[in-house]
Amino acid sequence: MRLLLALGLASATFSLSLHAQGTAISGRVFDAASSASLADATVTIEGSTRIVATDAEGRYRLDGVPAGPQVLRAVRIGYAPVRKSLVVPAAGSLTVDLPMARSALDLPNVTVTADPVSRAKGELGTASVIEREAIKNQTATSLLGLLELVPGVVLQPPGLDGVQQFGLRGVPLATGALGAGAGQPTSGDLASFGTQIVLDGVPISNNANLQSLGPRGEFSFSTSAGGGIDLRRIPASTIERVEVIRGVPSARFGDLTQGAVLVDTRAGRIDPELLVRLDARTLEGSVVGGTGLGRLQTGSGSFDIARTRLAPGQTDDQSYRFAVQGAHRYEAKSLRLDTRFDAYQLVEDRPESPLFPGIESHSRDNGIRASERARLELGRARLEWTGSFELTRQRTTSRDNKLRPAQPFTDRLTEGTQVGKFIGGVYNSKLELQGDPRALYSRLELVAQPRLIGHDETFRAGLELRREWNAGPGYLFDIEFPPQSTFNGVNGFDRPRRFDLIPPLVTTGLYADERASWPLGREGNFSVQGGLRVDLLHDGRTWLSGVRDRMVEPRINVELAPTRWIRFRAGAGRLAKLPSLASLYPGLQYYDLVNVNYYANNPAERLAVLTTRIIDRTNPNLGYSRADKLEAGFEAELAPGAQIAFTAFHDRVNGAVGIVDQTTSFFRELFRIVDSTTGKGRPPDFETPAYATETVPVLIDRPSNNLTATSSGAELVATIPEIPGTRTRAAIQASYVKERLDNAGIELARDFSDFQQSDHTPRSPYYVGSRLTGDRLLLTTRLIHQQPQAGLLVTGTIQVTLRETRQDLGSTDTLGFAGYITRAGEVVPVLASDRGLPQYHDLRAPRGGFLTDPQRGAVDWLFSLQVAKTLPGGGRLSFYAFNAFDRLGNFGDRQTTPRLFPANRFGVEVTMPMMVRK
């Protein structure tokens, strides 16, 4: 709080008193068909606090509008929202009339893409804003389908095919070469985990998802553990608006490294409507509606059900979604209460097939969330409180057939030595993952418009509290039939683990943010938004506990509009992401050292003695990942309807959480066998104490801030006005991203398991300097043909992957090793100048498992088509064809080069009002 007070005093101290009146915009809102005036329509400037309602004659007036490119928006129940781009002078007035229609298809220039010059509410950072009309023109089943309007996103058909996650400004790099241990996250995991999803003002977190077996598990699940949330839970039909902050967000946003996706669901007075979507794989139905509950209250609700058959005609695998939402709003002169309730269930069934008996998996995720947003007006300031509590229930069951040779086995859960038994052969392993993540969120924020240092000034200061934990029973299985089948006499099998014994994630965030603008001459404008955020990760169960880690995050965005038609912008800042609960508190690592391995033909005469050692993999130094972001660009209004925006960016995430292989060693005792004569029908005895000991090197797979992800590139978004005589216009998106992923940990030789077992091998080489690189150039063009008189809209989308490469970088020659590991687990570096000496001849071998040649993907393309037509009563009929020409031509060899895009899919979507408004 001292930090917030200090920033507030500094703002008052350096007051420049440069307040200006700005520009007034007035006009009339009317029915496009009858020209009748529309009262009670809401008119606002996007991204600002200026909002007004029309009077009985449909007239409105907005004062103090900032100069430069702006977007005017009108909304009224029973009508499609209207958006109009305009360039506002520094002073004077503008008259803008806004026609509205029951369906936006009856108006020219309907919005089907994100506006290049849009702004997220209260933000100066680069953003893509997707309005309701654009949402209706996307063939999207979930939120992910809407995010395809963001530059650099690969198009996907509608449906519930697999986990859907979203990450900004990255190339998905598989990190199999980074470290000997499995379980290393991919760059796609890091990007989606660092992209914050905010639903109706409340961040949705995946930090407490523990549905992962760690580095040794051999099962594969359809789960979003280790990455972002599964976006299938949010139906597209219930979304009103999406704001994607691609650049530097303001200080009010925390727990992120990439950017933020702000989702507003539909609420308030909504004409009830029914949506039905059908194609060869997906069937969806959705109902949305809302009504007034007296003069000051409204209530609304939605229900969505969808099913996707994952491989029709081949398997019975399918995914289901059930989602329900409810909203109640109370709005008085000085007090507004917004209450939300939403619940969902995601079901993914992969039943047993007659061709593969014993193999099946079933996954069911259920979630319920209640939230409250309260706003109290205090003159030129307001106080806002946001709170939520979310309960999630995750149940996954999987069976798989395993084959293992006869081997010694122990089921000890504590350290010590005991007589075991032999297991082997074919078995069916059944695993249950039962997680119950919980999330408690609260934010108290003061918003003021002090007019101390400039025009259109807004000051924010807030306190944010989070507590996340998992109350689930954990992952459960029969220890004798574990989820992994391999055992080398050292590395033990996994054991069951309870989640409700793991401490919670408890964090505190403090922030202050200031935004102000100043006029420049007659047409120019200069705006600045800067802030500071401090995030604290506590080491206990409450917010009064000590601090385990902290991060200070300054952020600033600057915008300069020297004339009415162009503005330049730049941003820089630091962001921070929490490690997941699974990384902060990983499962115990078991080692089962074989002391006696006497295998007789008669099972009754066999003897196995094993010593169990347990390592706690917790890393007390694990903390925040830090992202430093830098971007610059410009936006221009070249002509009415012709806009262009260009952004260049450079992002670097330091300390991303991965897995480091640390070495240590155990002493293995060897016991002498007594009386091993066969035919007695009982196992032999063994003598204690041990007659000998040997040192066994082992690996500890420990979570660590060992990864660095660097991405840079450029984005271009442009709209071309309607071509005269054709009623056709175009929207273009181009994105080039180059990404690099570095691992600061050591990488061990691929035959380390053999080294563990052989006491005759004194050492094993290790390597450093693992790096993955990749880049992607993606071009998306949308051609929009509209016939407003006929209520017809045709959209053709062409997406081309012009470049797609991957490469592993690192020393791969025989002198590429950096040192060696002794049998005592000691790491011994070797100078590069000494690696050719004779005493290191046993270490000189090519580095295995490393791809040195660039891997190029096919230059791929797709064409998708959507035709939308109004129906009587305000309905809409849409036909879509995703990747319509999939079988006609391709770049590269189809037989050897995989296609980037899925196969074609055709479908139809119908939206019908459930009541006709006169």
Side-chain angles (χ1 to χ4, degrees):
M1 295 303 294
R2 292 181 179 178
L3 171 64
L4 303 182
L5 291 174
L7 287 174
L9 291 173
S11 174
T13 302
F14 293 102
S15 172
L16 299 180
S17 300
L18 294 179
H19 173 62
Q21 294 301 317
T23 301
I25 300 180
S26 60
R28 176 172 169 264
V29 180
F30 60 93
D31 187 296
S34 64
S35 298
S37 299
L38 295 178
D40 297 322
T42 300
V43 183
T44 183
I45 295 293
E46 285 191 353
S48 77
T49 58
R50 286 163 179 78
I51 183 171
V52 70
T54 57
D55 60 18
E57 297 181 352
R59 299 194 177 278
Y60 72 92
R61 179 184 174 89
L62 292 167
D63 293 316
V65 179
Q70 302 288 355
V71 177
L72 191 64
R73 185 172 189 262
V75 180
R76 188 181 188 275
I77 186 171
Y79 288 82
V82 173
R83 302 173 74 253
K84 185 176 181 61
S85 297
L86 65 158
V87 180
V88 180
S93 62
L94 284 178
T95 300
V96 182
D97 293 336
L98 298 172
M100 302 188 75
R102 302 287 182 180
S103 172
L105 299 182
D106 296 330
L107 296 173
N109 299 320
V110 62
T111 302
V112 299
T113 63
D115 196 323
V117 299
S118 289
R119 284 286 182 271
K121 297 175 183 176
E123 300 287 316
L124 273 186
T126 304
S128 298
V129 177
I130 305 169
E131 290 285 347
R132 179 63 199 160
E133 194 54 44
I135 292 172
K136 290 198 290 188
N137 281 284
Q138 280 291 105
T139 56
T141 306
S142 64
L143 173 59
L144 183 65
L146 307 181
L147 298 177
E148 293 173 359
L149 295 175
V150 177
V153 178
V154 177
L155 304 183
Q156 298 291 329
L160 306 175
D161 311 66
V163 173
Q164 297 179 359
Q165 296 175 309
F166 177 74
L168 284 163
R169 292 177 172 176
V171 180
L173 301 176
T175 56
L178 292 180
Q184 197 80 257
T186 67
S187 65
D189 294 331
L190 298 177
S192 63
F193 193 55
T195 301
Q196 180 67 261
I197 308 296
V198 181
L199 181 61
D200 294 321
V202 178
I204 304 178
S205 170
N206 205 39
N207 293 332
N209 187 346
L210 294 171
Q211 288 191 288
S212 174
L213 288 181
R216 293 185 179 179
E218 296 175 359
F219 267 90
S220 177
F221 293 98
S222 177
T223 173
S224 57
I229 69 165
D230 191 343
L231 300 183
R232 292 181 296 177
R233 62 178 282 187
I234 307 176
S237 60
T238 64
I239 298 176
E240 179 68 28
R241 176 184 171 99
V242 179
E243 301 173 347
V244 183
I245 305 175
R246 313 194 315 265
V248 181
S250 64
R252 70 196 305 259
F253 295 104
D255 195 27
L256 74 172
T257 53
Q258 300 297 110
V261 179
L262 316 181
V263 182
D264 291 334
T265 57
R266 305 178 71 182
R269 291 179 171 86
I270 306 170
D271 284 338
E273 65 179 25
L274 169 68
L275 176 145
V276 177
R277 175 181 291 110
L278 174 65
D279 63 34
R281 293 192 178 187
T282 299
L283 174 64
E284 181 182 10
S286 181
V287 178
V288 181
T291 187
L293 302 174
R295 187 172 60 88
L296 301 177
Q297 301 181 68
T298 59
S300 60
S302 67
F303 175 77
D304 182 276
I305 180 172
R307 185 201 68 175
T308 293
R309 300 169 62 198
L310 302 180
Q314 302 178 27
T315 70
D316 295 327
D317 298 354
Q318 54 188 342
S319 295
Y320 291 91
R321 178 189 63 210
F322 306 91
V324 60
Q325 294 178 325
H328 175 268
R329 181 173 294 168
Y330 171 85
E331 192 164 9
K333 182 177 181 180
S334 60
L335 178 64
R336 174 171 173 171
L337 301 176
D338 201 342
T339 306
R340 304 271 181 154
F341 165 86
D342 59 84
Y344 72 92
Q345 181 182 59
L346 285 176
V347 180
E348 186 160 319
D349 281 332
R350 299 179 182 270
E352 184 178 21
S353 167
L355 297 177
F356 304 99
I359 301 176
E360 63 176 328
S361 65
H362 307 275
S363 178
R364 283 165 174 76
D365 289 0
N366 303 276
I368 183 170
R369 186 185 67 151
S371 66
E372 181 70 45
R373 302 172 71 183
R375 185 178 69 187
L376 178 63
E377 298 291 344
L378 303 171
R380 296 191 58 81
R382 68 177 183 269
L383 195 63
E384 296 183 356
W385 177 76
T386 302
S388 74
F389 182 60
E390 181 172 3
L391 304 174
T392 307
R393 187 176 186 268
Q394 301 168 329
R395 295 294 183 267
T396 300
T397 302
S398 183
R399 291 198 301 132
D400 197 7
N401 293 322
K402 299 291 184 180
L403 173 62
R404 61 187 172 199
Q407 54 196 338
F409 175 80
T410 179
D411 58 1
R412 281 190 73 97
L413 298 178
T414 59
E415 289 194 338
T417 302
Q418 75 175 34
V419 175
K421 62 180 180 179
F422 282 86
I423 58 175
V426 176
Y427 69 97
N428 189 253
S429 180
K430 180 180 179 181
L431 174 69
E432 295 185 18
L433 275 172
Q434 301 184 14
D436 295 325
R438 305 286 186 259
L440 179 64
Y441 178 82
S442 178
R443 182 181 66 225
L444 183 63
E445 184 177 78
L446 174 67
V447 183
Q449 296 177 311
R451 295 184 178 180
L452 295 175
I453 62 174
H455 173 56
D456 195 32
E457 181 183 357
T458 302
F459 173 77
R460 295 178 181 267
L463 170 66
E464 187 179 67
L465 303 176
R466 302 186 190 203
R467 192 179 193 272
E468 303 168 53
W469 68 100
N470 197 312
Y475 57 80
L476 312 171
F477 55 89
D478 188 331
I479 300 177
E480 187 170 332
F481 304 104
Q484 75 269 37
S485 59
T486 58
F487 176 51
N488 65 355
V490 178
N491 297 328
F493 292 110
D494 279 341
R495 277 28 171 205
R497 184 192 187 199
R498 295 196 64 87
F499 294 161
D500 52 11
L501 302 179
I502 299 174
L505 268 172
V506 181
T507 64
T508 299
L510 293 165
Y511 62 89
D513 183 82
E514 176 85 8
R515 174 178 173 176
S517 64
W518 298 266
L520 294 176
R522 294 182 57 83
E523 296 185 344
N525 191 65
F526 176 69
S527 300
V528 176
Q529 184 171 21
L532 184 67
R533 182 182 180 93
V534 178
D535 280 314
L536 307 175
L537 172 60
H538 299 280
D539 59 6
R541 294 179 172 271
T542 70
W543 294 278
L544 300 179
S545 305
V547 176
R548 172 173 177 157
D549 194 18
R550 61 181 58 82
M551 187 68 67
V552 179
E553 307 154 50
R555 304 175 193 176
I556 187 170
N557 283 283
V558 179
E559 181 178 279
L560 172 64
T563 67
R564 298 173 55 185
W565 59 274
I566 190 170
R567 57 186 178 188
F568 301 93
R569 48 183 167 74
R574 175 167 295 172
L575 288 68
K577 181 72 184 75
L578 279 168
S580 68
L581 202 64
S583 296
L584 282 173
Y585 304 101
L588 299 175
Q589 198 161 336
Y590 290 81
Y591 301 86
D592 298 322
L593 307 178
V594 178
N595 310 112
V596 175
N597 183 3
Y598 180 77
Y599 187 83
N601 291 330
N602 183 356
E605 297 178 355
R606 298 169 186 172
L607 176 64
V609 181
L610 302 96
T611 298
T612 299
R613 296 283 184 260
I614 304 175
I615 291 291
D616 185 352
R617 299 165 53 217
T618 302
N619 183 354
N621 297 318
L622 190 70
Y624 283 103
S625 302
R626 187 190 75 199
D628 294 315
K629 300 176 68 70
L630 180 66
E631 70 166 16
F634 70 89
E635 299 166 353
E637 185 99 9
L638 303 178
Q643 301 170 327
I644 185 171
F646 174 83
T647 305
F649 62 88
H650 178 80
D651 299 342
R652 182 181 178 88
V653 181
N654 295 285
V657 178
I659 299 293
V660 165
D661 293 321
Q662 295 183 347
T663 59
T664 187
S665 65
F666 295 131
F667 285 108
R668 171 159 45 193
E669 296 179 311
L670 302 178
F671 300 110
R672 194 181 307 277
I673 295 176
V674 180
D675 190 12
S676 59
T677 304
T678 61
K680 292 186 175 183
R682 61 177 178 81
D685 296 325
F686 64 95
E687 292 183 343
T688 57
Y691 74 91
T693 60
E694 63 180 10
T695 303
V696 180
V698 296
L699 298 180
I700 305 172
D701 303 308
R702 198 180 300 279
S704 178
N705 299 104
N706 63 305
L707 299 178
T708 300
T710 305
S711 61
S712 57
E715 298 165 340
L716 176 68
V717 182
T719 58
I720 300 175
E722 184 175 290
I723 302 174
T726 66
R727 295 191 173 180
T728 301
R729 60 190 191 276
I732 300 172
Q733 292 179 346
S735 172
Y736 176 73
V737 181
K738 184 174 183 179
E739 185 159 10
R740 188 183 76 200
L741 189 61
D742 295 274
N743 182 8
I746 65 173
E747 181 179 346
L748 304 177
R750 299 294 167 175
D751 59 353
F752 187 84
S753 179
D754 298 334
F755 169 62
Q756 281 184 307
Q757 301 173 66
S758 174
D759 58 351
H760 302 295
T761 305
R763 57 189 179 183
S764 178
Y766 73 87
Y767 306 86
V768 295
S770 297
R771 174 178 294 177
L772 299 179
T773 65
D775 64 351
R776 174 186 286 172
L777 176 59
L778 198 65
L779 175 65
T780 306
T781 303
R782 289 178 172 88
L783 301 175
I784 304 116
H785 175 76
Q786 187 179 3
Q787 297 282 351
Q789 297 83 356
L792 179 68
L793 179 70
V794 181
T795 305
T797 304
I798 304 171
Q799 186 169 85
V800 181
T801 310
L802 299 175
R803 179 179 172 86
E804 181 98 9
T805 67
R806 305 284 191 277
Q807 187 175 9
D808 298 348
L809 300 176
S811 299
T812 57
D813 58 18
T814 58
L815 298 179
F817 68 93
Y820 59 89
I821 308 295
T822 69
R823 296 205 62 79
E826 182 183 5
V827 178
V828 181
V830 177
L831 295 176
S833 58
D834 295 340
R835 294 171 190 170
L837 297 178
Q839 59 263 39
Y840 300 120
H841 70 92
D842 58 316
L843 304 176
R844 292 195 287 269
R847 187 178 191 174
F850 220 68
L851 301 175
T852 57
D853 296 331
Q855 308 297 304
R856 296 185 178 275
V859 177
D860 208 354
W861 72 284
L862 69 73
F863 172 78
S864 294
L865 179 69
Q866 181 179 6
V867 180
K869 176 70 175 67
T870 57
L871 296 176
R876 175 187 299 216
L877 172 66
S878 297
F879 166 80
Y880 58 87
F882 174 85
N883 202 2
F885 301 141
D886 181 44
R887 305 299 179 186
L888 302 179
N890 67 294
F891 302 95
D893 186 354
R894 181 186 293 271
Q895 301 301 320
T896 60
T897 306
R899 297 294 301 271
L900 177 66
F901 301 108
N904 50 14
R905 192 175 299 184
F906 300 87
V908 64
E909 177 184 305
V910 181
T911 303
M912 289 296 298
M914 301 178 67
M915 58 175 287
V916 178
R917 183 180 294 273
K918 297 181 180 180

